[in-house]
Amino acid sequence: MKEIGEKLKDAREAMGVSLNEAAEDLKLETSQIENLEQGNMENFKDIYYLKYLIRDYSKYLGLDKEDLVNEFNEYLFDYTSKISLEDIKKAKEFAKPEEDKIKSPYTIEYKGKTPVFTVVAYCAIALILVLILVFVIFEFTKNENKDTESIVMNYVTK
């Protein structure tokens, strides 16, 4: 990670751009760029954010963004492949259960039950379809009876 940071710093300095200018242009904090250039991955809470930051910063500096992102991906692979299974199991044990997460007041959780509104809506749609079907059948048989009566009346009068 330090090598990526050094490449970014060297490119910025070669262009004559200060940390403040780069931070202002990219709408970032100066400390974020400093941490990126120093290779302080721990100061970023999200790996994906860090990857996009590397991509955007390298693009800003005119570097090949794909090369630097690939280099970062290789670094992550090397870094994570060194984590032992025991450490992963310990991390899972210390992970917070789902109940401790902060939930949005706008999120509706149904917990496996179908909401009443959905059931009522499906029943209403089914009822409307049945009524339409009954109406169509009634109109069809009503018209058919009139046709039969007119044929019989024509036959009898002849």
Side-chain angles (χ1 to χ4, degrees):
M1 183 64 200
K2 294 204 183 289
E3 295 84 22
I4 295 171
E6 287 174 8
K7 286 180 185 180
L8 294 169
K9 183 177 181 178
D10 291 343
R12 179 183 56 78
E13 289 174 348
M15 290 177 61
V17 177
S18 71
L19 280 172
N20 291 333
E21 285 177 301
E24 187 176 314
D25 289 344
L26 293 170
K27 296 179 180 28
L28 297 170
E29 298 290 324
T30 307
S31 62
Q32 289 176 301
I33 294 179
E34 285 176 338
N35 284 320
L36 181 60
E37 289 181 353
Q38 292 171 2
N40 296 334
M41 192 172 89
E42 305 82 33
N43 293 334
F44 297 95
K45 64 178 181 175
D46 189 0
I47 295 290
Y48 297 108
Y49 175 76
L50 181 57
K51 183 187 284 190
Y52 292 123
L53 181 60
I54 291 170
R55 182 196 66 190
D56 293 344
Y57 191 36
S58 61
K59 183 179 177 182
Y60 169 77
L61 296 172
L63 300 173
D64 187 0
K65 63 183 180 182
E66 296 299 323
D67 283 346
L68 284 173
V69 168
N70 287 337
E71 191 174 331
F72 179 69
N73 288 335
E74 287 294 322
Y75 168 78
L76 280 180
F77 178 75
D78 290 341
Y79 178 78
T80 56
S81 64
K82 295 175 184 172
I83 300 173
S84 68
L85 289 177
E86 290 79 26
D87 290 340
I88 293 172
K89 288 177 184 177
K90 287 178 186 175
K92 282 185 178 182
E93 290 174 8
F94 292 112
K96 291 184 179 180
E98 291 292 321
E99 294 121 21
D100 291 347
K101 287 187 177 179
I102 297 174
K103 296 178 183 169
S104 167
Y106 305 108
T107 303
I108 299 172
E109 289 189 26
Y110 299 114
K111 295 187 181 180
K113 294 183 180 179
T114 305
V116 175
F117 175 76
T118 305
V119 173
V120 171
Y122 285 141
C123 290
I125 291 170
L127 180 64
I128 290 170
L129 290 174
V130 168
L131 289 175
I132 291 171
L133 183 64
V134 168
F135 177 76
V136 168
I137 292 172
F138 177 73
E139 287 296 316
F140 179 73
T141 56
K142 187 169 88 173
N143 289 338
E144 196 174 278
N145 287 341
K146 286 183 181 179
D147 291 342
T148 306
E149 286 177 14
S150 65
I151 293 172
V152 170
M153 292 301 277
N154 285 337
Y155 181 75
V156 170
T157 54
K158 288 186 181 179

